[in-house]
Amino acid sequence: MWLKPEEVLLKNALKLWMMERSNDYFVLQRRRGYGEEGGGGLTGLLVGTLDSVLDSTAKVAPFRILHQTPDSQVYLSIACGADREEITKHWEWLEENIMKTLSVFDSNEDITNFVQGKIRGLIAEEGKHSFAKEDDPEKFREALLKFEKCFGLPEQEKLVTYYSCSYWKGRVPCQGWLYLSTNFLSFYSFLLGSEIKLIISWDAVSKLEKTSNVILTESIHVCSQGENHYFSMFLHINQTYLLMEQLANYAIKRIFDKETFDNDPVLDDPLQITKRGLENRAHSEQFSAFFRLPKEETLKEVHECFLWVPFSHFNTHGKMCISENYICFASQDGNLCSVIIPLREVLAIDKTNDSSKSVIISVKGKTAFRFSEVKEFEELVAKLRLKCGATSTQYHDISTEVPVSSDSIDPSDDTEVQSLTCQRECSRTVNTEALMTVFHPQNLETLDSKMLKEKMKEQSWNILFSECGRGVSMFRTKKTRDLVVRGIPETLRGELWMLFSGAVNDMAANPGYYAEVVEQSLGTCNLATEEIERDLRRSLPEHPAFQSDTGISALRRVLTAYAFRNPKIGYCQAMNILTSVLLLYAKEEEAFWLLVAVCERMLPDYFNRRIIGALVDQAVFEELIRDHLPQLTEHMTDMTFFSSVSLSWFLTLFISVLPIESAVNVVDCFFYDGIKAILQLGLAILDYNLDKLLACKDDAEAVTALNRFFNNVTNKDSPLPSSVQQGSNVSDEKSSQIRVDITDLIRESNELRVVSQDVKLSLHELDELYVIFKKELFFSYYWCLSSPVLKHHDPSLPYLEQYQIDCQQFRVLYHLLSPWAHSANRDSLALWTFRLLDENSDCLINFKEFSSAIDIMYNGSFTEKLKLLFKLHISPAYTEVQYKDPSKGDELSKEELLYFSQLHVSKPAKEKEAKSARNSPEKEKEKVNIQAYLSQWQDELLKKEENIKDLPRMNQSQFIQFSKTLYNLFHGDPEEESLYQAIAVVTSLLLRMEEVGRKLHSPTSAMKGLSGAAVCVSGVPSEGQAEKPLEKEPSSPREEPQWSFAFEQILASLLNEPALVKFFEKSIDLKAKLENAKTSQLSCRTKK
């Protein structure tokens, strides 16, 4: 690799370097300890340790080239190499292209300038596309060289960044380098002869967290396949952790989320991923999530400043965050104060004339915000004016207090004006009022105690609005949150849900969109609309609003419109329950945008057939239970109980388990705090019922206890009529349990900040085998830019059948795992095995089919193994293989392999889908449990025993190939000679038996076949001698039909030879094979 020319000192360098070549202008040196027997002794160990710790790879590459001029003591490093071949190429290039030119120059200075310019030109050309986006291209090139040298990953693996850190091996820290690439986390350390090399693929990471304890003050914990790894001593641990989190998420999305990749040019091409790009992406995602902005918003600028809070009369320190369409502010502690200013609301932007460096932003509603101590505030004002087109308001005398008008209006009213035309056209179909105002209008003349409390709540919010403003640009403070926890008043619920969820911004950006979608989706008929119709009457059936056509029609329109907008989700059960509650308190169009916010931003990947988002949050919930309720964890033998019970809590926000009057308070907190509110409430419920759960003897008893608790949760302040309140339906006589008020419960929550014994493969072996199978599939797509996502993945199938491999991928696994992989014709055996397993002829096999073959090879009886070999040499598995390149022997190219695997194969007609759902653990438990699948599926591993009499007969050419395969399997065995003798006897016996049978059947037949297929039985033939008699010349057209054998004949003949029986019945260590496959799975790909 060419290096940016830098001066080096040779005074002490000769102790570490040895000269290999030199001329008048260049010197080629080798690092001591490299290429020497024994590693160069103590010097080699010290040099290796030094190389591992030093930052610059130019100093640690085993070879380098220096530039020198006569009469000069200055040397410049211009190239380095990881091996002799690479450095020799650079040396030869210098001799051929540079040496002849240097004689033209008169001075040494000109020579040095020419060489430096030439090398810099080479570097610029070489790194034009690869390193241009890196912060320090030269240093990055050096790190890339060391990364490639240490780990030997394919060239397509893109290094993103690297860090110096310590890896804890037990209680001993090992200093080295952590490399983060697109598909792997890698670590390398070499200290005094002890080398540590670690490679973890991102998709294998099950846990990634920052931890601290007495020994490790701050470290990053990575859990992969049950092994824990700890890294510490980072210069910027938060930055490192953020990048690792991004790369782990990216790796999973790259494999599973095709839509994301198609719409994202960066993710679509791993070569475009850089450290800076990932950091910007992470900051933008955090920015959008914190302020509940549309996902498309990208964080452009961040400025530290102070915001004047008029009702508190002080400046709060925080950060101003600017995106394409929003100016946002969050105080330093995050909870004290935050503000969102949409640029569509901005009327004017100005600056003060004093030394406060203030920016004044005036918005609709007679409100202004003053940001002070803003660096480069003049440039910022110019940018913001240009961005929003706001005019400058002349502030001749700006006071230190910017008032917030008490008669502020809701900016969302302007949105309603913009979409008024579209709504008028659809006024006959779209409701413009919340259902609660229609079915439960408040009667001001008859105010009972509950209605008085409701009015007091409203008054509290009105006071807040007078202080903090009203609408999207209101100040959000701790007082706001306290009022939300107490419960939002019925009349304000829809407005505040829109505000806190960010749905108000979506609706403002898309005026008239809902009316258009409703019109377009009317009359559509598909699977989603059929499911919607089926569930309409099941949505809050006890509420009067959904006992009438008004409520049912509104629910139908919203759900159908969303299914039309997002066909990827369409409709999922639980959406109807959530939407019905939204329609009670929000206008129909607002309910639609609230549903959009929940499904696409606040609870991503919840409402689809895989419910990955819910499963992830349930895993987080289980972890929280372990941390906060350890006694409950010890009592419950199976943590999946919590997942099965809590799934409905997450999907319906407790609406399906709590009385409606209590559930709406939970929804209030959810729209303000997000999923954190659901997790906290879930913990509070388990904590409240801890004693009862600890007394339960089984899961059913625990579920009953929780259901009784939910039935007794009340909302004493709810103004809903008793006919609607579900909690009031449980009479005091029936329930002796103490009532629990939902407000108290929420306050409390906020303080909690597959095989039967007939099969020999064990569950552990199946687990290991599955990891290798899935890893091979993922490896095939890591560096395949043309196909960045899994082609053959069907999540609708049972988990162990979702992943499918083609013939090329199967060959790799066959070479790694099969006990017959040492055979000379192993590629042909892999091909025939694949064709045999591919029963539905789709040129793909799943793990279920793959492991059934491995089970027979390792644990099958003599008869089962022989039957497998027999079936490999008859139709449909067997196909005659003709090699295009005889020089490669029996090795098949990828093209040949795929060609032969598809011979006589018709395109599949989607047959696999019907088999799946029956008895799937997914049906019982929504959480994917690989162990459960393995246990269940283990019972199905042994197929129904075939009747050996039903097997087709083996013809002449197939029998010849069968005999060759047996000879190849015996090659290298300690009993090789006796096995060859035995197979020769068996072959000769079979041929004679067949000839006798033909004579009895047809007395006139000649003895041609016997002489043509005779096998040498005298002496012990070598492999070559044994094969020759079987390769007879092609028969003439006049020859009689070929002879053939039944499986019973071959089985009976082989059973007479003890050596053959012993060979097939000897046990093989599968555990060692699996361990070896795991260690060599990646390295075998780099050798290709």
Side-chain angles (χ1 to χ4, degrees):
M1 183 177 74
W2 299 109
L3 301 175
K4 180 181 176 182
E6 289 184 354
E7 292 186 12
V8 296
L9 296 174
L10 288 189
K11 184 176 181 181
N12 297 317
L14 294 176
K15 295 178 182 179
L16 301 176
W17 295 91
M18 297 180 66
M19 185 181 298
E20 295 246 320
R21 297 189 192 181
S22 67
N23 55 39
D24 291 341
Y25 300 104
F26 301 101
V27 177
L28 191 156
Q29 295 180 329
R30 175 175 57 82
R31 191 77 162 166
R32 284 188 182 274
Y34 290 92
E36 299 178 21
E37 293 186 8
L42 180 60
T43 304
L45 288 178
L46 292 173
V47 170
T49 301
L50 188 64
D51 292 349
S52 176
V53 176
L54 284 178
D55 185 14
S56 175
T57 302
K59 299 171 186 173
V60 301
F63 298 93
R64 71 178 182 181
I65 297 176
L66 305 179
H67 166 61
Q68 65 173 353
T69 54
D71 306 324
S72 174
Q73 298 299 316
V74 177
Y75 286 76
L76 299 174
S77 63
I78 59 172
C80 67
D83 51 46
R84 194 180 298 275
E85 182 182 358
E86 181 185 3
I87 205 69
T88 301
K89 285 183 181 178
H90 288 339
W91 181 266
E92 291 174 351
W93 187 89
L94 290 171
E95 287 184 330
E96 293 174 8
N97 298 278
I98 301 293
M99 286 295 293
K100 297 175 183 177
T101 310
L102 296 182
S103 59
V104 177
F105 295 99
D106 296 329
S107 68
N108 292 339
E109 187 178 348
D110 292 339
I111 292 174
T112 301
N113 290 338
F114 175 77
V115 172
Q116 287 182 327
K118 199 71 176 175
I119 299 301
R120 286 195 176 97
L122 289 172
I123 293 172
E125 186 63 29
E126 184 183 277
K128 190 187 327 185
H129 305 292
S130 303
F131 314 109
K133 296 182 181 180
E134 305 300 337
D135 295 332
D136 189 342
E138 181 60 31
K139 203 170 183 181
F140 190 84
R141 288 176 75 250
E142 296 174 1
L144 180 61
L145 176 70
K146 187 172 181 181
F147 173 70
E148 293 173 346
K149 172 193 160 201
C150 290
F151 304 103
L153 295 171
E155 293 180 1
Q156 298 94 324
E157 183 65 13
K158 171 72 166 61
L159 177 64
V160 177
T161 190
Y162 58 99
Y163 298 98
S164 173
C165 69
S166 290
Y167 172 67
W168 288 80
K169 195 173 181 181
R171 295 193 175 186
V172 180
C174 301
Q175 187 66 24
W177 291 90
L178 179 70
Y179 297 88
L180 307 182
S181 59
T182 50
N183 297 299
F184 297 96
L185 176 156
S186 310
F187 178 83
Y188 183 81
S189 173
F190 183 89
L191 295 173
L192 298 177
S194 176
E195 182 182 55
I196 296 176
K197 189 183 294 186
L198 185 68
I199 303 177
I200 301 172
S201 59
W202 290 116
D203 54 67
V205 174
S206 57
K207 192 172 187 178
L208 182 67
E209 62 178 353
K210 284 190 295 183
T211 60
S212 61
N213 54 42
V214 177
I215 300 175
L216 303 175
T217 51
E218 261 191 322
S219 64
I220 295 176
H221 171 212
V222 178
C223 182
S224 172
Q225 298 180 359
E227 294 185 8
N228 294 308
H229 308 277
Y230 292 90
F231 303 90
S232 65
M233 305 292 287
F234 290 98
L235 189 61
H236 303 289
I237 190 169
N238 291 330
Q239 180 193 75
T240 307
Y241 177 77
L242 184 65
L243 276 174
M244 292 170 73
E245 190 178 46
Q246 286 288 103
L247 285 168
N249 290 335
Y250 154 78
I252 298 301
K253 285 182 180 178
R254 183 168 182 257
I255 293 171
F256 290 105
D257 197 346
K258 187 177 188 302
E259 285 76 11
T260 299
F261 269 81
D262 289 343
N263 299 326
D264 195 317
V266 176
L267 293 182
D268 191 43
D269 183 5
L271 296 178
Q272 299 298 317
I273 294 177
T274 62
K275 173 187 171 185
R276 190 190 309 159
L278 284 174
E279 287 175 346
N280 292 341
R281 190 185 192 90
H283 292 148
S284 292
E285 289 174 354
Q286 290 177 344
F287 164 72
S288 298
F290 183 84
F291 292 106
R292 303 281 167 77
L293 301 178
K295 291 188 295 185
E296 299 76 23
E297 290 300 311
T298 304
L299 182 61
K300 298 295 184 183
E301 297 179 56
V302 178
H303 300 272
E304 283 201 24
C305 61
F306 289 87
L307 173 64
W308 175 253
V309 184
F311 50 87
S312 299
H313 301 287
F314 74 93
N315 281 306
T316 179
H317 180 249
K319 291 182 179 180
M320 178 198 293
C321 305
I322 302 172
S323 66
E324 294 94 334
N325 301 298
Y326 297 88
I327 302 170
C328 303
F329 177 87
S331 59
Q332 203 161 19
D333 64 358
N335 295 317
L336 185 61
C337 175
S338 65
V339 169
I340 301 171
I341 308 173
L343 294 184
R344 65 178 183 271
E345 301 289 322
V346 175
L347 297 175
I349 299 174
D350 217 313
K351 56 187 178 182
T352 57
N353 298 322
D354 56 22
S355 59
S356 62
K357 300 180 181 178
S358 298
V359 177
I360 309 294
I361 300 178
S362 301
V363 299
K364 299 173 184 176
K366 301 179 182 178
T367 307
F369 300 90
R370 189 185 74 179
F371 301 91
S372 58
E373 299 300 326
V374 182
K375 293 182 180 178
E376 301 176 350
F377 71 105
E378 294 180 344
E379 293 180 17
L380 179 60
V381 168
K383 284 181 187 176
L384 292 177
R385 284 177 181 170
L386 187 64
K387 189 183 281 281
C388 63
T391 57
S392 171
T393 304
Q394 298 300 320
Y395 287 94
H396 297 290
D397 183 18
I398 296 179
S399 69
T400 56
E401 179 176 325
V402 181
V404 179
S405 175
S406 61
D407 60 346
S408 302
I409 61 170
D410 183 358
S412 62
D413 292 342
D414 295 321
T415 304
E416 292 177 15
V417 173
Q418 292 174 9
S419 60
L420 192 58
T421 306
C422 295
Q423 290 205 2
R424 280 174 181 166
E425 294 175 1
C426 299
S427 59
R428 294 183 181 180
T429 57
V430 176
N431 291 342
T432 55
E433 287 185 292
L435 295 178
M436 192 62 74
T437 61
V438 177
F439 289 89
H440 302 296
Q442 294 184 2
N443 189 349
L444 300 178
E445 296 179 359
T446 58
L447 289 178
D448 57 13
S449 60
K450 289 187 177 181
M451 286 304 301
L452 284 172
K453 284 186 179 180
E454 186 73 4
K455 289 299 173 186
M456 290 172 63
K457 280 187 185 178
E458 288 181 27
Q459 187 59 30
S460 298
W461 279 95
N462 288 331
I463 294 171
L464 180 75
F465 292 149
S466 66
E467 293 179 351
C468 303
R470 185 169 185 173
V472 68
S473 298
M474 70 179 287
F475 283 87
R476 305 177 196 205
T477 64
K478 188 176 182 299
K479 188 176 179 181
T480 312
R481 193 176 190 284
D482 292 339
L483 289 178
V484 171
V485 170
R486 287 171 54 188
I488 298 175
E490 304 275 303
T491 55
L492 298 175
R493 195 160 258 144
E495 175 190 338
L496 294 177
W497 282 359
M498 288 290 289
L499 185 65
F500 297 144
S501 67
V504 64
N505 296 316
D506 294 323
M507 191 169 79
N510 300 277
Y513 175 86
Y514 175 66
E516 292 174 11
V517 173
V518 168
E519 191 172 346
Q520 293 171 13
S521 62
L522 282 176
T524 57
C525 185
N526 49 43
L527 180 61
T529 56
E530 290 175 8
E531 292 179 346
I532 290 169
E533 289 297 326
R534 186 182 63 212
D535 288 345
L536 285 176
R537 304 283 174 183
R538 304 176 186 173
S539 309
L540 297 185
E542 68 285 343
H543 199 285
F546 298 100
Q547 295 169 359
S548 70
D549 188 57
T550 304
I552 293 293
S553 298
L555 182 59
R556 179 188 292 113
R557 285 192 295 270
V558 173
L559 292 174
T560 306
Y562 186 78
F564 183 85
R565 165 192 167 86
N566 192 344
K568 181 182 175 183
I569 292 178
Y571 171 76
C572 176
Q573 282 190 338
M575 288 172 66
N576 61 316
I577 298 173
L578 175 61
T579 307
S580 58
V581 173
L582 299 179
L583 283 167
L584 288 177
Y585 296 99
K587 300 172 185 176
E588 188 174 319
E589 183 180 9
E590 292 174 343
F592 170 80
W593 287 112
L594 283 168
L595 184 63
V596 170
V598 172
C599 294
E600 298 178 14
R601 279 206 319 274
M602 300 186 74
L603 297 177
D605 293 322
Y606 261 60
F607 301 96
N608 55 39
R609 52 185 181 172
R610 289 188 288 177
I611 57 171
I612 289 177
L615 295 176
V616 170
D617 284 340
Q618 282 185 303
V620 173
F621 187 53
E622 287 182 16
E623 200 66 31
L624 290 171
I625 294 172
R626 289 190 184 95
D627 292 341
H628 295 277
L629 303 170
Q631 61 272 53
L632 189 58
T633 307
E634 293 170 6
H635 177 71
M636 305 299 288
T637 55
D638 187 5
M639 288 294 286
T640 56
F641 163 76
F642 298 111
S643 298
S644 57
V645 168
S646 64
L647 183 65
S648 63
W649 304 356
F650 287 88
L651 287 175
T652 66
L653 309 179
F654 284 94
I655 297 171
S656 63
V657 292
L658 285 174
I660 182 64
E661 66 275 12
S662 300
V664 291
N665 282 35
V666 178
V667 179
D668 294 343
C669 296
F670 167 75
F671 279 125
Y672 193 86
D673 278 332
I675 191 61
K676 180 176 73 173
I678 306 301
L679 293 168
Q680 289 175 335
L681 182 59
L683 280 177
I685 289 169
L686 294 179
D687 185 50
Y688 192 93
N689 293 277
L690 184 61
D691 294 337
K692 294 175 185 174
L693 291 173
L694 291 176
C696 293
K697 297 176 182 178
D698 54 37
D699 291 356
E701 197 175 340
V703 170
T704 303
L706 288 174
N707 286 338
R708 284 176 183 163
F709 169 79
F710 288 132
N711 290 334
N712 286 280
V713 175
T714 63
N715 185 352
K716 61 179 183 293
D717 296 334
S718 175
L720 289 178
S722 58
S723 60
V724 175
Q725 291 191 28
Q726 297 170 336
S728 63
N729 296 334
V730 182
S731 65
D732 292 333
E733 295 177 4
K734 289 184 179 180
S735 176
S736 59
Q737 294 194 359
I738 300 174
R739 299 293 182 122
V740 182
D741 188 70
I742 186 64
T743 307
D744 297 335
L745 195 61
I746 290 174
R747 281 203 187 99
E748 240 181 83
S749 73
N750 282 281
E751 293 171 3
L752 290 172
R753 274 307 201 191
V754 221
V755 187
S756 72
Q757 57 185 351
D758 295 327
V759 179
K760 310 298 189 301
L761 279 177
S762 68
L763 193 62
H764 176 72
E765 288 170 341
L766 275 175
D767 205 7
E768 294 287 305
L769 195 63
Y770 180 70
V771 169
I772 295 170
F773 177 88
K774 193 164 128 182
K775 184 63 66 181
E776 178 57 35
L777 184 62
F778 287 2
F779 278 165
S780 303
Y781 294 95
Y782 277 176
W783 304 286
C784 182
L785 297 183
S786 60
S787 180
V789 295
L790 290 178
K791 282 183 181 177
H792 313 306
H793 176 245
D794 187 352
S796 66
L797 295 173
Y799 198 70
L800 297 181
E801 298 178 36
Q802 290 182 9
Y803 301 96
Q804 301 177 91
I805 58 174
D806 60 24
C807 194
Q808 165 63 15
Q809 294 158 343
F810 176 78
R811 172 170 65 173
V812 176
L813 291 174
Y814 186 91
H815 289 180
L816 288 170
L817 294 166
S818 173
W820 303 337
H822 66 277
S823 174
N825 65 334
R826 62 178 186 170
D827 278 6
S828 297
L829 282 176
L831 168 66
W832 298 332
T833 307
F834 179 84
R835 287 169 60 88
L836 176 67
L837 297 175
D838 184 22
E839 293 181 354
N840 64 346
S841 301
D842 62 352
C843 298
L844 298 168
I845 64 170
N846 58 37
F847 176 71
K848 190 173 181 179
E849 296 160 334
F850 168 75
S851 54
S852 64
I854 296 295
D855 179 61
I856 292 174
M857 291 179 193
Y858 280 92
N859 301 316
S861 64
F862 172 78
T863 304
E864 290 168 338
K865 291 178 181 178
L866 188 63
K867 185 165 67 174
L868 175 60
L869 282 171
F870 182 87
K871 290 167 73 174
L872 294 182
H873 292 83
I874 59 175
S875 182
Y878 179 77
T879 182
E880 191 172 349
V881 177
Q882 297 177 346
Y883 300 95
K884 296 180 181 179
D885 188 358
S887 64
K888 291 186 176 180
D890 291 337
E891 185 179 342
L892 288 170
S893 67
K894 181 179 178 181
E895 292 73 21
E896 289 174 326
L897 192 73
L898 294 177
Y899 168 75
F900 287 125
S901 69
Q902 296 169 5
L903 281 180
H904 310 297
V905 173
S906 57
K907 291 293 178 185
K910 291 194 179 180
E911 304 168 336
K912 289 190 175 180
E913 294 183 9
K915 298 180 185 177
S916 61
R918 259 183 228 131
N919 301 323
S920 168
E922 274 180 341
K923 207 171 183 183
E924 303 284 344
K925 300 176 183 177
E926 296 295 339
K927 183 176 179 180
V928 175
N929 187 340
I930 297 178
Q931 295 293 329
Y933 276 108
L934 289 168
S935 299
Q936 172 205 313
W937 176 70
Q938 203 168 3
D939 297 324
E940 305 170 6
L941 227 166
L942 275 184
K943 295 183 178 179
K944 187 179 179 181
E945 193 68 31
E946 291 175 290
N947 190 335
I948 58 176
K949 293 183 179 179
D950 296 335
L951 291 172
R953 293 175 69 87
M954 183 179 282
N955 65 32
Q956 183 174 330
S957 62
Q958 292 168 346
F959 179 72
I960 292 172
Q961 184 58 59
F962 176 75
S963 302
K964 286 183 179 180
T965 298
L966 290 177
Y967 278 114
N968 287 331
L969 290 180
F970 302 151
H971 182 65
D973 190 272
E975 303 294 329
E976 182 178 1
E977 292 187 5
S978 60
L979 288 168
Y980 282 160
Q981 180 69 39
I983 196 62
V985 172
V986 168
T987 307
S988 178
L989 177 62
L990 284 169
L991 291 171
R992 291 180 184 279
M993 286 171 57
E994 176 62 17
E995 189 61 33
V996 171
R998 288 175 59 198
K999 275 186 177 183
L1000 292 174
H1001 187 266
S1002 179
T1004 58
S1005 72
M1007 297 283 290
K1008 296 177 185 177
L1010 180 61
S1011 60
V1015 176
C1016 176
V1017 295
S1018 59
V1020 181
S1022 65
E1023 185 179 357
Q1025 290 173 326
E1027 289 181 7
K1028 276 185 180 180
L1030 296 172
E1031 296 173 357
K1032 64 170 195 162
E1033 295 179 4
S1035 58
S1036 65
R1038 293 175 295 176
E1039 192 173 3
E1040 295 181 8
Q1042 293 183 346
W1043 35 261
S1044 62
F1045 298 107
F1047 176 69
E1048 305 102 290
Q1049 293 175 290
I1050 295 176
L1051 176 62
S1053 302
L1054 290 175
L1055 282 171
N1056 289 325
E1057 296 295 329
L1060 295 175
V1061 176
K1062 182 180 177 183
F1063 174 84
F1064 283 107
E1065 288 192 339
K1066 68 181 177 183
S1067 62
I1068 307 171
D1069 188 2
L1070 176 59
K1071 183 179 178 181
K1073 198 76 173 178
L1074 290 170
E1075 288 298 323
N1076 183 61
K1078 285 198 295 184
T1079 56
S1080 57
Q1081 192 172 12
L1082 181 60
S1083 60
C1084 73
R1085 301 186 67 85
T1086 61
K1087 295 174 183 176
K1088 296 179 181 179

